[in-house]
Amino acid sequence: VPMVVYDPRLPEEQRGKVTFVVEQGEARRQTLHWLMTAKSEWAERTGHKTPWLKDGSGERFLTAVLELPDGPESLVATLRCDDRIVAAVFCLRGGDALYVSKIAHDPSFAAYSPGRSLLMMLMELAFAEGIALVDLMAGGVEWKHRFATGQSALVMQKVRLR
């Protein structure tokens, strides 16, 4: 059931019907582009050094994953205010686990926690579909600690060539 956000104190562009959408077809690729652009703008604003965002290789890789005929099962979902994307997420599914790979939101909606709302709706969907684990993946950012019910040690093996 969509929520309706109407508060006369809100700017006109922040009022409307809020919906959770699991994107299908071409909208998946368009949403992935929006998501990676939003991530890139976030990295620029915050000073994060993320070459895979800056050079576009991350978006090219994830787009290729979406288009693989026998590729991994993926999910692209959005939180929208009317037709405007305010948050988006890209996930991979393996067995009974859902891996949250990328998430971003429109900073003009930040005061309303659209990323948090999107994650809550995503977890509701995951539970309904029999998912046992939602993995927020690597990165020790605060919001992940608030959501997590546990953590696993991550060991990365490397081969240095130079």
Side-chain angles (χ1 to χ4, degrees), residues 7-108:
D7 182 335
R9 297 169 297 180
L10 293 176
E12 187 66 36
E13 69 275 3
Q14 293 179 349
R15 299 180 200 165
K17 180 175 69 173
V18 177
T19 53
F20 171 75
V21 179
V22 176
E23 302 295 345
Q24 304 294 322
E26 178 61 21
R28 288 165 47 91
R29 203 161 63 62
Q30 293 167 349
T31 299
L32 183 60
H33 177 71
W34 182 94
L35 171 59
M36 297 305 282
T37 299
K39 290 287 290 180
S40 184
E41 290 168 355
W42 165 82
E44 189 73 29
R45 278 192 316 275
T46 60
H48 278 77
K49 304 286 186 235
T50 49
W52 54 269
L53 280 172
K54 196 172 205 92
D55 69 10
S57 61
E59 182 173 351
R60 288 191 303 277
F61 175 77
L62 294 179
T63 299
V65 168
L66 281 181
E67 295 172 354
L68 286 171
D70 295 323
E73 187 177 345
S74 59
L75 179 137
V76 177
T78 56
L79 186 67
R80 293 175 177 263
C81 182
D82 291 330
D83 290 327
R84 180 178 175 179
I85 296 173
V86 296
V89 65
F90 173 84
C91 304
L92 295 171
R93 183 172 181 174
D96 67 350
L98 188 66
Y99 300 90
V100 178
S101 175
K102 304 286 175 276
I103 186 166
H105 67 274
D106 179 335
S108 69

